[in-house]
Amino acid sequence: MIDRIEELRAAGAAEVAAATSSEALEQARVRHLGRRAELPNLLRGVAELPPEQRGAVGRAANVARKALETLIERRGGELAASELDAQLARDRVDVTLPGAPALPAGGLHLLTQTQREIEDVFIGMGFNVAEGPEVEHIHYNFDALNHDAAHPARLRSDTFYVADEVVLRTHTSPMQVRAMEQQPPPIFIIVPGRVYRRDSDATHTPQFHQIEGLAVDVDITLADLRGTLLQFARAIFGDERQVRLRPHFFPFTEPSVEVDVSCFNCTDGLLADGSRCPLCKGTSWIEILGAGMVDPNVFGYVREYGYDPERIQGFAFGMGVERIAFLKHGVSDLRLFYDNDLRFLRQF
Amino acid sequence: MKVPLSWLHEYTRPDMDALALAERLAMTGTEVERVLRHGVAALDGFVVGRVLAAEQHPNADRLRVCRVDVGGEAPVQIVCGAPNVAAGQTVAVAQPGAVMPDGTRLREAKLRGEPSEGMILSERELELSAEHDGIMVLADELMPGQPLAEALTIADDVLELEITPNRPDCLAIYGVAREVHAATGAPLAPPPWTHDPGSMGPLAGVEIAVETDRCARFTARVFEDVTIGPSPAWLKARLMAAGQRPISNVVDITNYVMLLTGHPLHAFDLDRVEGGRLVVRQARAGETIDTLDGTTRELDPDTTIICDAQGPTSIAGVMGGARSEVHPGTTRVLLESATWDGPSIQRTSTRLGLRSEASARFEKGLAPEQALEAQAVATRLLIDLAGARVAPGTSDVAGPAGRWWERPPQPIRLRDLRVDGLLGTPVDRERSAAILTALGFATADADDGLDVVVPHFRRADVTREADLIEEVARIDGVDNLPATLPARRDAVGRLTESQRLRRRASDTLAGAGLHEILGWSWSPPELADRLRLGADDPRRRMIRVENPMSADQGLLRTMLVGSLLDVARRNVTRGIADVAIFEAGAVYPVARGTDPREPPPREPRHLGVLLTGAARPATWREPQPPAADFFAAKGVLELLLETLRVGWRVEAATEPFLHPGRSAAVLVREGAGDDARETRVGWLGELHPAIAADWELDRVAAFELDLDAVIAAAPGAVRYEDYTSFPEVRQDLAVVVPDDIAAGEVVRVVREAGGPLLASAEVFDVYRGEQLGEGTVSLALRLAFRSPERTLTDEDVSARRAKIEAALAQLGGSLRA
């Protein structure tokens, strides 16, 4: 009997070792350990044996069965691993095919991206973002900004009128006065928005975007303007940039300056091949905005809101978003911004 | 303003080249547009020559073969085509190798068989005048071979300046010289009007009357024995270099004096001034004048004119009349130098389309003192260059406001502390005084700064302490200021909640694969008709631009869908078939009953989305994705409003431009509980196929929202709701309802019946089929029940479910197993 058990175990072990697939292994298991197989039935028949044999036979049969089960389990593990390997090999894909996008890539308009970038720089410097109307009374657009009655910007050849005293704002500066009417000093705001001028060519569109800045407190200086714009220029155009202030004239600032940023496209006005830099035209400076100290006459219009020109002072600046985007991204024709060709929009 | 350096050097000569001077001027407030080279680029090869012989060319009637002494060992042969060339003349010669002003390099040549070693020059060839009828004949004392530059200004650097409107004093050579003096420290010569050969006192034979307040001062002098003729070469050369074409001595002198002093003059032929009396007054309606340019112009009462006994004879400050123009036979000249009101000169020149050098100066406002400065310089030149004899006296008449400029000026205090306080860096009082003095201001020490008197030529521009600080700062160098940052004290920078959510809205759409566009703020006039807006549709009431650049920019938009359609069409016609775009921008509605002469009270920010073509990009796995339809747009809308955490729903509603069966109104819920109310914030739908076809588009799905209203409905800080303490019970429910009951209505009824324990109810399947019968639809809903306070029992849930089922039955629905 014991010998028979050993025969059965050996036969089973051989068959398990020979199984080359999970199905063959399963067949071997059924044949040797299944309900009709001899070894389990031997175990079930132990009770009918004479008592002195029961212990030895039962033990031997049990050991044999356990041994076979272990073999089957081990072999099963080996087979599963190799079968998975084979399956994975069959599942190979061409990884260079295009992905199936969860969503196509969309994007913000380049001018929006530029505007936000500028906004974030000034927010970081403690400015808030104020917004104002585009259809504007000439009081805010010209009068309160110290434009005299004959200022050429008032001409119908330059400015869009919707009524005798109502224009499409020609700059974001009207919000200087509106903001000061709404809030006593100190005031630190930037004003992004659409503005309009009667001009249309490769470097002018009749609608464009500006960002105004206004900082008013008891001790804001022209040197503070320089420092603030230096931070801005470095944040937008790179850490190595310098700014240069040139005296200029604007009706609503005194002193007034134009601000240049050192060219980020060349060295001393020359490109690597020795040719003249097209961006700064060889001057190594690029004009980016107009600025100045708020003219006392402008404060005169909001004196009753806490802006006594003898007690408070501040700076203001205004820049074109299109111009900044054009400089940073080399857009050759500003009209492209409003053409909205998807081949343009997708580039940014 | 073109400033020839040779002319400038007569008054100040800084020790720097043209480019360095341009840089210095730019950094002190005078922008230099360009540095031009007038005349020849290099002086080499331009010499004085003497014509020894001039003989007929054997093969050409109009050419002469000349032997010219140019200082070499032997004379050279030059072929010349000028009719006036003759032996004995001293002439200007360009030798082979010389580069002419137009850039051509001269070579030895053969003209009709005769060798020619150079060229005898006319004035025009050297850009000395427009004269080209013959060669230029020079003074005989010049030596052959002498460099031509010693005899003539044949090369000059010219600064082209951009003068800001507050500085008419710099529309003058002497004014620029004063600026250069202050900016560089180079000495400044006394002004050219220092010695006046004329005299003041009464002027016989001419009477002047000023009857309008637009003329502050009118001065006149009379010159007899005038000989009209060409101007001398140096004067013509200066005018040419400054960009003015020489005409004749008297006219050239008025132009020269204007360029030098900044004050325009006008010369009348006194024998053509009828009645010997000039009246300055406003024109009367219907009056006309023939101006110098040969045009008859209609005048209006806003125009100031000068009249004689026959009527208008000059438009003040803008252009003279043809009738009294100086002509070759003129012998008596009346020279006018007057001060006009700037704004009215500007209006007149704009209205008549006559922008002249004179009007450009007058319109900025000149000082009355300048009138006599110009008279003095012109008097000297008329005597010297036109043989004139100045009649004794000057007619000097003030306007109705009197001689206000003769009152002593009020000094302005310039406080040291204020200079430091405004600039952020101190400037020595001595330095300030030196700068202001160089600019022509008078200064006197005061206890806390300087008392400053403004010169007349800066009177309009400098009126306050801040203006003086600017003068000091710009010359001292605004670029030398330190870079500091404002003391920020308690100010904090951040976006407002609404600005933050607007950014979030655009980011969400960009993240969903849409591209942002920026359309024009205007609307073409036909848009309302193309969109079939009804006659009473408020979106038809648009703000009209009075002076648009083109007709299609004549109105301001009241909705974004127009520009979205235009952009979609443009892209599709360019071969980009799949378009998913959005715009976030203002619209400009005209509220009923508002005053059209005032700005609109509100410019709502709208958000518009347009989809056409494939709903998603074709891929190798899905070569033909479905077309974007109503539900594609609704999916975008859902994503947007869920991201903003806004409570919302749509209900079927029509718009004139939308597919009648596929259009809806979008409503958002504001507030909570009993205070909650719904606001209609926009529309959603597929464009009416006929309207889409009008834009050459196939199926178009779109929506447009009042973004301000949507954001107003967004909750503030959201409160946490417990979802971990007690489990959720999920159940599905299928109900068959009549087809005309909207799914949204079913969900609404279910939510209402479910009460607060029903955490969510969503449609997850829609089925129509024969088994259900005609006109019915089966909706499958997924319900979730949850309590924040306890674990729900089967009884809790079945009680709510029973109520839901009852409510659905009332709606006409029957439950499916």
Side-chain angles (χ1 to χ4, degrees):
Chain A
M1 189 64 93
I2 300 287
D3 294 347
R4 181 61 189 155
I5 289 170
E6 177 53 26
E7 269 176 43
L8 287 173
R9 192 203 56 81
E15 206 168 321
V16 166
T20 55
S21 71
S22 294
E23 292 93 77
L25 184 64
E26 177 60 12
Q27 283 163 16
R29 190 192 66 77
V30 170
R31 205 158 26 247
H32 294 279
L33 295 178
R35 196 185 292 268
R36 302 218 185 103
E38 193 177 345
L39 189 62
N41 282 324
L42 253 171
L43 260 171
R44 272 191 287 276
V46 163
E48 292 153 32
L49 290 176
E52 66 277 11
Q53 290 184 17
R54 282 183 200 166
V57 169
R59 241 183 333 269
N62 216 12
V63 166
R65 194 192 65 184
K66 285 258 169 65
L68 271 182
E69 278 173 356
T70 306
L71 284 176
I72 287 168
E73 193 177 328
R74 188 180 306 142
R75 183 67 186 147
E78 289 165 12
L79 286 175
S82 70
E83 280 168 10
L84 182 61
D85 285 347
Q87 179 64 42
L88 294 184
R90 281 194 301 277
D91 286 350
R92 186 188 60 82
V93 296
D94 177 355
V95 297
T96 63
L97 283 172
L103 287 167
L108 299 179
H109 194 283
L110 180 58
L111 292 178
T112 303
Q113 295 181 37
T114 307
Q115 178 178 318
R116 282 194 189 181
E117 196 182 345
I118 298 168
E119 284 172 0
D120 290 346
V121 171
F122 284 104
I123 289 169
M125 286 194 274
F127 286 71
N128 286 308
V129 179
E131 291 153 304
E134 297 167 25
V135 183
E136 184 57 283
H137 200 282
I138 59 168
H139 170 76
Y140 291 107
N141 198 77
F142 294 127
D143 300 347
L145 292 172
N146 203 33
H147 284 59
D148 63 45
H151 196 283
R154 293 176 184 260
L155 294 174
R156 284 178 178 249
S157 55
D158 290 23
T159 295
F160 293 105
Y161 278 79
V162 304
D164 285 350
E165 302 202 320
V166 183
V167 298
L168 303 188
R169 66 176 175 189
T170 59
H171 43 190
T172 41
S173 314
M175 257 316 273
Q176 287 188 25
V177 181
R178 285 183 175 274
M180 289 191 282
E181 285 177 354
Q182 287 158 15
Q183 182 195 330
I187 190 169
F188 288 82
I189 55 165
I190 55 163
V191 187
R194 282 189 180 192
V195 301
Y196 305 87
R197 291 181 196 174
R198 292 185 87 254
D199 240 340
S200 186
D201 57 38
T203 55
H204 298 88
T205 48
Q207 157 189 310
F208 59 105
H209 294 74
Q210 279 190 339
I211 293 183
E212 190 82 5
L214 177 70
V216 181
D217 203 339
V218 294
D219 56 359
I220 305 288
T221 66
L222 193 59
D224 290 340
L225 170 70
R226 185 193 180 97
T228 302
L229 293 178
L230 179 64
Q231 297 280 332
F232 156 75
R234 290 186 171 172
I236 297 293
F237 294 111
D239 289 340
E240 308 303 310
R241 301 279 73 74
Q242 296 294 333
V243 295
R244 182 173 85 163
L245 269 52
R246 279 181 292 108
H248 198 68
F249 170 75
F250 301 108
F252 47 108
T253 47
E254 187 84 14
S256 302
V257 292
E258 280 189 329
V259 180
D260 301 335
V261 61
S262 56
C263 187
F264 43 83
N265 192 45
C266 67
T267 312
D268 296 332
L270 298 176
L271 300 181
D273 65 359
S275 62
R276 195 179 79 143
C277 174
L279 208 54
C280 65
K281 302 192 171 60
T283 64
S284 71
W285 293 99
I286 302 169
E287 183 188 325
I288 51 167
L289 56 86
M293 299 303 289
V294 178
D295 193 288
N297 289 3
V298 175
F299 288 137
Y301 280 91
V302 288
R303 186 190 297 269
E304 72 226 61
Y305 300 94
Y307 293 85
D308 174 1
E310 270 295 304
R311 213 181 53 73
I312 51 95
Q313 58 190 41
F315 64 70
F317 59 83
M319 71 182 91
V321 180
E322 276 82 351
R323 179 159 176 80
I324 305 287
F326 144 82
L327 289 171
K328 268 196 92 160
H329 302 276
V331 177
S332 56
D333 185 330
L334 296 196
R335 289 170 292 203
L336 289 171
F337 287 127
Y338 298 101
D339 188 52
N340 295 301
D341 192 305
L342 281 162
R343 291 165 297 185
F344 177 83
L345 300 175
R346 283 175 189 146
Q347 288 182 22
F348 302 103
Chain B
M1 174 78 191
K2 284 185 173 172
V3 178
L5 279 193
S6 64
W7 196 353
L8 181 75
H9 286 166
E10 195 167 310
Y11 301 100
T12 188
R13 185 185 275 272
D15 185 19
M16 51 180 75
D17 67 13
L19 289 175
L21 178 59
E23 172 82 6
R24 180 67 190 138
L25 284 173
M27 295 309 291
T28 53
T30 309
E31 194 158 329
V32 182
E33 266 176 73
R34 296 179 280 183
V35 178
L36 305 167
R37 180 74 169 183
H38 184 78
V40 304
L43 303 176
D44 305 335
F46 293 92
V47 296
V48 173
R50 186 156 293 131
V51 183
L52 303 176
E55 284 151 17
Q56 186 60 44
H57 191 292
N59 306 319
D61 288 348
R62 287 197 281 178
L63 295 181
R64 237 75 67 83
V65 181
C66 307
R67 280 195 308 122
V68 184
D69 178 1
V70 291
E73 285 175 17
V76 297
Q77 173 166 310
I78 297 177
V79 177
C80 180
N84 65 330
V85 66
Q89 285 172 335
T90 303
V91 294
V93 175
Q95 296 177 302
V99 180
M100 300 300 290
D102 66 3
T104 52
R105 180 180 291 273
L106 233 53
R107 297 171 199 286
E108 289 182 34
K110 268 191 180 175
L111 289 166
R112 297 283 183 101
E114 286 293 330
S116 181
E117 293 177 66
M119 188 163 141
I120 303 176
L121 300 165
S122 72
E123 291 184 358
R124 192 174 77 181
E125 280 157 348
L126 285 170
E127 296 187 343
L128 293 172
S129 80
E131 191 63 54
H132 195 53
D133 289 344
I135 54 155
M136 179 171 27
V137 179
L138 306 178
D140 285 339
E141 56 267 25
L142 296 170
M143 295 297 297
Q146 195 180 348
L148 189 58
E150 291 177 9
L152 293 168
T153 307
I154 59 170
D156 208 348
D157 286 319
V158 179
L159 301 182
E160 193 172 336
L161 306 180
E162 189 192 313
I163 304 298
T164 53
N166 60 322
R167 295 300 303 276
D169 61 302
C170 283
L171 294 172
I173 300 293
Y174 191 75
V176 172
R178 192 188 293 117
E179 193 68 26
V180 168
H181 159 64
T184 65
L188 178 69
W193 51 83
T194 310
H195 301 291
D196 181 2
S199 57
M200 299 305 290
L203 177 69
V206 181
E207 195 190 330
I208 307 289
V210 176
E211 297 178 353
T212 172
D213 61 1
R214 305 270 177 89
C215 176
R217 185 182 203 183
F218 192 103
T219 72
R221 280 184 179 174
V222 168
F223 297 86
E224 315 268 0
D225 304 336
V226 174
T227 309
I228 304 288
S231 297
W234 65 266
L235 194 151
K236 286 195 283 190
R238 280 195 174 166
L239 288 180
M240 285 291 286
Q244 290 255 340
R245 200 187 144 102
I247 295 164
S248 72
N249 52 3
V250 172
V251 176
D252 293 350
I253 286 167
T254 60
N255 284 330
Y256 182 87
V257 172
M258 173 182 73
L259 292 174
L260 177 57
T261 67
H263 196 284
L265 300 158
H266 181 64
F268 294 87
D269 182 327
L270 184 53
D271 292 320
R272 295 188 176 182
V273 173
E274 298 299 324
R277 182 170 192 265
L278 289 176
V279 177
V280 182
R281 62 165 169 84
Q282 296 306 115
R284 300 181 189 110
E287 280 184 315
T288 62
I289 183 172
D290 294 335
T291 43
L292 281 176
D293 57 356
T295 314
T296 302
R297 297 179 185 272
E298 190 141 339
L299 302 171
D300 74 0
D302 193 42
T303 307
T304 307
I305 54 169
I306 301 165
C307 305
D308 62 6
Q310 264 192 30
T313 188
S314 179
I315 302 176
V318 177
M319 189 175 266
R323 193 157 53 78
S324 54
E325 188 182 357
V326 169
H327 58 97
T330 297
T331 58
R332 297 173 72 223
V333 166
L334 182 147
L335 193 63
E336 165 212 324
S337 182
T339 310
W340 307 106
D341 170 60
S344 47
I345 295 294
Q346 188 202 48
R347 287 196 301 276
T348 298
S349 68
T350 304
R351 186 172 51 245
L352 296 176
L354 273 175
R355 292 260 307 158
S356 62
E357 290 278 331
S359 72
R361 286 172 173 79
F362 282 128
E363 72 185 21
K364 293 177 179 75
L366 301 178
E369 289 91 332
Q370 290 176 271
L372 280 182
E373 295 169 359
Q375 285 281 14
V377 180
T379 302
R380 161 69 59 205
L381 290 169
L382 284 168
I383 292 168
D384 288 353
L385 306 180
R389 193 168 51 76
V390 60
T394 303
S395 179
D396 182 3
V397 181
R403 306 179 74 82
W404 51 263
W405 59 90
E406 292 179 352
R407 285 177 223 135
Q410 251 342 309
I412 304 170
R413 176 67 55 87
L414 178 64
R415 293 166 288 179
D416 300 337
L417 275 178
R418 195 80 180 132
V419 177
D420 186 358
L422 202 64
L423 300 180
T425 192
V427 180
D428 284 349
R429 194 185 294 183
E430 293 70 30
R431 173 84 177 127
S432 297
I435 289 170
L436 290 168
T437 306
L439 288 168
F441 294 76
T443 64
D445 257 315
D447 39 334
D448 60 348
L450 295 167
D451 276 329
V452 182
V453 175
V454 179
H456 64 265
F457 52 86
R458 298 297 304 279
R459 185 186 284 138
D461 180 36
V462 179
T463 57
R464 304 156 307 173
E465 188 177 29
D467 303 324
L468 293 174
I469 295 173
E470 172 170 71
E471 294 303 306
V472 170
R474 71 185 180 85
I475 301 294
D476 194 46
V478 286
D479 200 42
N480 299 328
L481 288 174
T484 56
L485 287 174
R488 296 294 295 106
R489 301 197 176 84
D490 55 354
V492 171
R494 60 166 306 192
L495 292 176
T496 63
E497 183 69 1
S498 127
Q499 287 164 344
R500 199 178 60 73
L501 288 176
R502 284 199 325 255
R503 279 196 181 187
R504 188 97 202 268
S506 291
D507 287 340
T508 301
L509 295 176
L514 281 76
H515 281 278
E516 185 192 16
I517 65 146
L518 291 176
W520 299 111
S521 298
W522 13 83
S523 173
E526 67 276 10
L527 180 69
D529 287 339
R530 289 180 78 188
L531 292 177
R532 303 182 179 178
L533 299 184
D536 294 334
D537 195 307
R539 292 168 296 198
R540 266 190 186 275
R541 289 200 298 273
M542 301 189 200
I543 294 173
R544 186 171 299 280
V545 179
E546 292 179 352
N547 54 337
M549 295 185 78
S550 64
D552 60 357
Q553 300 178 349
L555 300 169
L556 295 188
R557 66 186 180 184
T558 54
M559 49 201 310
L560 301 181
V561 68
S563 54
L564 286 166
L565 281 165
D566 290 342
V567 169
R569 174 181 182 277
R570 201 177 303 142
N571 278 286
V572 169
T573 55
R574 290 172 187 175
I576 304 161
D578 303 330
V579 175
I581 50 177
F582 74 98
E583 177 168 11
V587 296
Y588 314 88
V590 181
R592 199 179 283 283
T594 53
D595 185 346
R597 289 162 306 175
E598 289 296 320
R602 206 168 88 85
E603 293 171 4
R605 290 182 196 84
H606 274 202
L607 182 71
V609 162
L610 182 147
L611 310 173
T612 188
R616 47 186 178 265
T619 69
W620 53 276
R621 285 211 289 206
E622 191 186 30
Q624 255 143 11
D629 62 358
F630 178 90
F631 292 102
K634 189 175 178 188
V636 175
L637 177 73
E638 255 174 58
L639 175 69
L640 174 71
L641 296 176
E642 296 295 333
T643 301
L644 298 178
R645 303 273 176 266
V646 173
W648 67 285
R649 68 183 179 89
V650 303
E651 64 184 23
T654 57
E655 283 281 3
F657 47 86
L658 293 181
H659 184 309
R662 297 185 173 189
S663 58
V666 181
L667 300 99
V668 298
R669 198 163 47 248
E670 266 186 272
D674 292 344
D675 294 337
R677 59 197 161 80
E678 280 191 325
T679 317
R680 184 172 171 153
V681 294
W683 53 264
L684 158 73
E686 286 179 21
L687 266 284
H688 192 292
I691 288 175
D694 188 26
W695 267 270
E696 298 173 49
L697 296 168
D698 290 335
R699 191 199 299 240
V700 175
F703 65 81
E704 182 168 341
L705 306 176
D706 180 336
L707 187 58
D708 288 336
V710 169
I711 282 172
V718 177
R719 284 196 66 80
Y720 166 72
E721 272 180 32
D722 181 21
Y723 61 93
T724 55
S725 303
F726 304 102
E728 194 172 74
V729 178
R730 290 174 204 163
Q731 291 193 343
D732 289 350
L733 176 151
V735 60
V736 178
V737 292
D739 227 353
D740 58 354
I741 294 182
E745 179 62 7
V746 172
V747 171
R748 192 189 63 76
V749 165
V750 167
R751 280 179 176 281
E752 199 175 279
L757 293 184
L758 180 63
S760 69
E762 270 153 31
V763 176
F764 71 93
D765 194 21
V766 178
Y767 174 74
R768 286 183 175 79
E770 281 174 24
Q771 308 96 295
L772 293 179
E774 261 313 273
T776 58
V777 59
S778 166
L779 300 174
L781 285 85
R782 182 151 296 149
L783 310 179
F785 296 93
R786 191 172 64 230
S787 161
E789 287 142 12
R790 61 199 164 85
T791 300
L792 293 179
T793 62
D794 284 350
E795 289 75 40
D796 291 330
V797 173
S798 53
R800 296 324 302 179
R801 186 173 172 116
K803 289 210 165 164
I804 290 170
E805 288 173 359
L808 286 174
Q810 213 162 25
L811 197 64
S814 54
L815 292 193
R816 291 178 79 206

